[in-house]
């Protein structure tokens, strides 16, 4: 008997319903695409929701310029395979325009800088709904989100002003200037995402699988060695067999030592894991309320 749990089909049904509600209730939605497993799952759900038609909204990628090259290669491949429209906006452009300032120091990262680039893109294209891959098992601030989670006319999130959602009645009514973040996989877990990837036989970036990589050790975690890291004198690169549980900016995403080279072995590894995938994201550790504060400012 397999130890791998089966995927609960009602989660897919709910997510497809949410996708269709977005298309029905909003005029200019977009799907926030990072190239990670959650956004890849969203693309498949959107395909199923509107098949045989094309996905009726663009994929929006905010590129920090410090992404894993494997993720960018996969993004471009997926767009070609699906025929989806891709919009890319760059954090570097925001820096060049003086909209944000490059961080300095040991923990410098562009991850937080994405917020301004995203809000500018929402304003540029007048998106009234942005579909994201947040799940409630990731981080406590995300548990406060609704499926249709309203942002004010400054693109900011106010947790105390979120509207109640009764059963499957999703209220997409917004005032002029407001927009909504939509989370179709709110009720999924990391394990659900992986069992769905296995069920659907979805392609994913190679960095999710065990591979040899140059890394450094920092604060008890393993980081990908790259030109974007501000290395300290005692941080000497070495080769290790690792994989990544989550995909983000290379400057804030740590790896885990792993021999998991298949989807099934990844699932087995997750079943035994004692920390969440966000435990490998240094940007979540800047303060106890780091994620909630960034979401209030307009983060994904």
């Amino acid at each position: 008997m397999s130890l791998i749990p089966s995927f609960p089909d009602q989660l897919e049904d709910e997510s497809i319903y949410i996708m269709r509600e977005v298309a029905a209730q909003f005029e200019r939605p977009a799907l926030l695409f990072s190239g990670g497993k959650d956004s890849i799952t969203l693309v498949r759900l959107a395909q199923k929701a509107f098949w045989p038609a094309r996905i009726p909204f663009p994929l929006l990628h905010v590129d920090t310029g410090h992404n894993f090259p494997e993720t960018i290669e996969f993004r471009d491949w997926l767009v070609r395979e699906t025929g989806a429209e891709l919009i890319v906006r760059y954090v570097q452009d925001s820096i060049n325009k003086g909209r944000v300032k490059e961080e300095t120091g040991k923990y410098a990262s562009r991850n937080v800088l994405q917020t301004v680039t995203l809000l500018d893109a929402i304003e540029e294209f007048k998106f009234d709904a942005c579909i994201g891959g947040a799940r409630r098992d990731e981080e406590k601030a995300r548990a406060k989100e609704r499926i249709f989670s309203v942002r004010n006319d400054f693109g900011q999130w106010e947790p105390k002003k979120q509207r109640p959602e009764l059963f499957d009645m999703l209220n997409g009514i917004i005032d002029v200037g407001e927009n909504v973040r939509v989370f179709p996989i709110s009720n999924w877990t990391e394990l659900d995402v992986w069992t769905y990837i296995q069920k659907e036989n979805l392609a994913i970036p190679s960095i999710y699988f065990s591979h040899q990589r140059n890394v450094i050790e920092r604060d008890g975690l393993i980081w990908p060695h790259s030109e974007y890291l501000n290395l300290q004198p005692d941080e000497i690169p070495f080769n290790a067999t690792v994989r990544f549980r989550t995909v983000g900016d290379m400057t804030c995403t740590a790896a885990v030592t792993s021999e998991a080279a298949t989807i099934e072995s990844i699932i087995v590894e997750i079943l035994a894991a004692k920390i969440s995938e966000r435990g490998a994201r240094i940007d979540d550790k800047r303060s106890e309320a780091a994620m909630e504060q960034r979401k209030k400012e307009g983060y994904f």
Side-chain angles (χ1 to χ4, degrees), residues 263-276:
I263 299 294
E264 183 168 333
S265 58
I266 288 174
I267 293 173
V268 171
E269 189 175 87
I270 291 169
L271 286 168
K274 294 182 179 179
I275 62 171
S276 78

Side-chain angles (χ1 to χ4, degrees), residues 26-43:
F26 297 97
E27 294 183 8
R28 291 174 296 279
L31 192 156
L32 302 178
F33 187 78
S34 68
K37 65 185 183 307
D38 297 324
S39 56
I40 293 167
T41 296
L42 290 176
V43 169

Side-chain angles (χ1 to χ4, degrees), residues 92-105:
Q92 184 62 55
D93 289 341
S94 299
I95 294 171
N96 294 344
K97 295 174 183 176
R99 297 279 292 137
V100 293
K101 184 178 180 180
E102 189 90 74
E103 292 185 350
T104 60

Side-chain angles (χ1 to χ4, degrees), residues 22 25-30 122 125-131 149-151 172 174-175 177-182:
V22 171
Q25 296 194 44
F26 297 97
E27 294 183 8
R28 291 174 296 279
I122 291 173
F125 293 97
K126 305 301 180 185
F127 291 133
D128 52 0
C130 292
I131 302 166
S149 193
V150 179
R151 286 350 191 225
I174 54 176
D175 293 330
E178 292 181 333
N179 62 82
V180 169
R181 303 292 167 80
V182 181

